[in-house]
Amino acid sequence: MAGDTRDRMIDATVEALRRRGVAGMSFTEVLRDSGAARGAIYHHFPGGKGQLVAEAASRNGRDVRANLAALPADDPLALVESFLALIRPVVECSATGSGCAVAAVTIASGEPAENASLREVAATAFASWTDALAARLRVSGLAPDAATDLATTLLALLEGAQVLCRAEGSVAPFDRMTRTALDLTRTRYAAR
Amino acid sequence: MAGDTRDRMIDATVEALRRRGVAGMSFTEVLRDSGAARGAIYHHFPGGKGQLVAEAASRNGRDVRANLAALPADDPLALVESFLALIRPVVECSATGSGCAVAAVTIASGEPAENASLREVAATAFASWTDALAARLRVSGLAPDAATDLATTLLALLEGAQVLCRAEGSVAPFDRMTRTALDLTRTRYAAR
DNA sequence: GTCTATACAAAGATAGAC
DNA sequence: GTCTATCTTTGTATAGAC
């Protein structure tokens, strides 16, 4: 098939970004994991590493966004609870070294032009996640401003938890954080 | 002087870690910024890149911990407010590409042995930050468990905000997150 | 202890046969 | 479109003069 190789290369790149970041990742690794040949890189991605990484981060951004948009929105508290339940498996991966691909793309290492382009991709992905979460929070009854603020907070918690859990090699930081988050949200948004 | 060169090299490494991460950072950069000669690296750091990076992350960990331990602890709400005020300038640096040096050390790229060692350094630093924050929260009146949970949450917010603000190139995500954090903390811990 | 010069490996990028 | 082979650059690591 045609686009199959290209697809597998992007998938392998997402995984490589998660584990090693853009500077730490290598074509050797991507080619090994995708089974593609060396020349396939510049055939499918004339822009080289920058283009491959950008497409990988972009795909990951869309995938995650779809998950967030499908969250139940009965009320704010339920949404926070289901958000935390949704991301726990993701954070568990961080405990074994697999972080956020979009966050990884944030770290600059090359020339300003390429960096700006990659940061733009990351910013777009994060914005789409914030928007998806905020939309659900509005549906659940929150005012627009409060929804955006809380959505950003939840996203910061997700990204932060991945960092802490990767360092500690366990989900314990996430679970501690979850207790506080639920405690605070219940106090504030309980439909009592 | 004797330890001066070594010190400047560590400082330059902290800065390099913040901007480019461990895989993206190079000796060339560190030598340029510290004014040291090429041979100085293995003279002062026989363990090579691994040792230099570990010492840099470790120093940064101690510095940040000292700042956290000095936070006023009149009551939980005041502590959260002063924590957010303390970290805002740090997060502002993220908007121009300078992230958390300890978080950077978390990303594996080389052989398992070196990776484990660096993750250990990061875990120790994060644990010391959590402990410092939790200690202040206990002084401010929180129960031990609640203090540890909230400390972890604040740390996750700090790390997450740096990621989001670096991607977006502005402090706006931090400010949104701050509004929610203050709103929730006031509702929960207001000394009314 | 500080510096210059260099060895060695790995990465990204290309060329061109099939 | 896919593959092999290779060029060029960069980075880590080391040797040895001063």
Side-chain angles (χ1 to χ4, degrees):
Chain A
M1 282 185 202
D4 231 358
T5 298
R6 213 185 115 97
D7 250 38
R8 284 201 318 275
M9 291 175 74
I10 294 183
D11 286 340
T13 304
V14 170
E15 195 54 33
L17 285 176
R18 271 212 253 266
R19 304 212 154 264
R20 309 195 189 276
V22 23
M25 155 210 141
S26 73
F27 283 161
T28 309
E29 187 183 6
V30 171
L31 295 174
R32 177 173 44 78
D33 293 354
S34 65
R38 193 139 204 99
I41 293 174
Y42 290 87
H43 177 73
H44 291 294
F45 306 92
K49 190 174 187 177
Q51 183 185 353
L52 175 58
V53 166
E55 292 203 31
S58 189
R59 161 178 302 187
N60 185 247
R62 279 193 305 275
D63 291 346
V64 172
R65 189 197 170 287
N67 288 330
L68 295 177
L71 247 22
D74 308 321
D75 59 275
L77 178 55
L79 200 147
V80 171
E81 284 172 347
S82 52
F83 171 77
L84 291 170
L86 173 71
I87 68 174
R88 193 174 192 280
V90 176
V91 177
E92 256 178 338
C93 295
S94 293
T96 58
S98 215
C100 173
V102 174
V105 155
T106 280
I107 294 173
S109 70
E111 30 184 308
E114 180 187 307
N115 291 339
S117 165
L118 285 180
R119 275 196 342 167
E120 185 73 23
V121 171
T124 302
F126 282 145
S128 82
W129 298 357
T130 307
D131 289 350
L133 270 176
R136 299 309 285 160
L137 285 165
R138 286 196 303 275
V139 169
S140 81
L142 252 53
D145 283 358
T148 303
D149 291 351
L150 181 53
T152 306
T153 306
L154 292 176
L155 201 48
L157 284 176
L158 167 58
E159 294 299 326
Q162 290 186 89
V163 170
L164 299 184
C165 292
R166 164 139 72 176
E168 186 166 316
S170 93
V171 249
F174 174 79
D175 289 334
R176 293 202 296 270
M177 184 202 90
T178 295
R179 282 196 292 270
T180 297
L182 290 178
D183 174 43
L184 293 175
T185 335
R186 280 190 191 120
T187 305
R188 179 69 177 79
Y189 292 113
R192 233 173 307 152
Chain B
M1 281 187 204
D4 232 358
T5 298
R6 213 185 116 97
D7 251 39
R8 284 202 317 276
M9 291 174 73
I10 294 184
D11 285 341
T13 304
V14 170
E15 194 55 32
L17 285 175
R18 271 211 256 265
R19 302 211 157 265
R20 308 197 188 275
V22 23
M25 155 209 141
S26 75
F27 284 162
T28 309
E29 187 184 6
V30 171
L31 295 174
R32 176 173 44 76
D33 293 353
S34 65
R38 195 139 203 99
I41 292 175
Y42 291 86
H43 176 74
H44 290 294
F45 306 92
K49 191 174 186 178
Q51 183 184 353
L52 176 58
V53 166
E55 291 203 30
S58 189
R59 162 178 299 187
N60 186 247
R62 280 192 304 276
D63 291 348
V64 172
R65 189 197 169 284
N67 288 329
L68 295 177
L71 245 24
D74 306 322
D75 60 275
L77 178 55
L79 200 147
V80 171
E81 285 172 346
S82 51
F83 171 78
L84 291 170
L86 174 70
I87 67 174
R88 193 174 193 279
V90 176
V91 177
E92 257 179 339
C93 295
S94 293
T96 58
S98 214
C100 173
V102 174
V105 155
T106 280
I107 296 172
S109 70
E111 28 183 311
E114 181 187 307
N115 291 338
S117 164
L118 285 180
R119 274 196 345 166
E120 184 73 20
V121 171
T124 302
F126 282 145
S128 83
W129 298 358
T130 308
D131 289 349
L133 270 176
R136 300 307 285 160
L137 284 165
R138 287 197 302 273
V139 169
S140 81
L142 253 54
D145 283 359
T148 302
D149 291 352
L150 181 52
T152 305
T153 306
L154 292 176
L155 202 47
L157 285 176
L158 166 58
E159 293 300 325
Q162 289 186 89
V163 171
L164 299 184
C165 291
R166 165 140 69 179
E168 186 167 315
S170 93
V171 249
F174 173 79
D175 289 335
R176 293 201 296 270
M177 182 202 91
T178 294
R179 282 195 292 269
T180 297
L182 290 177
D183 174 42
L184 293 175
T185 330
R186 280 191 191 118
T187 306
R188 180 68 177 77
Y189 292 113
R192 237 177 306 152

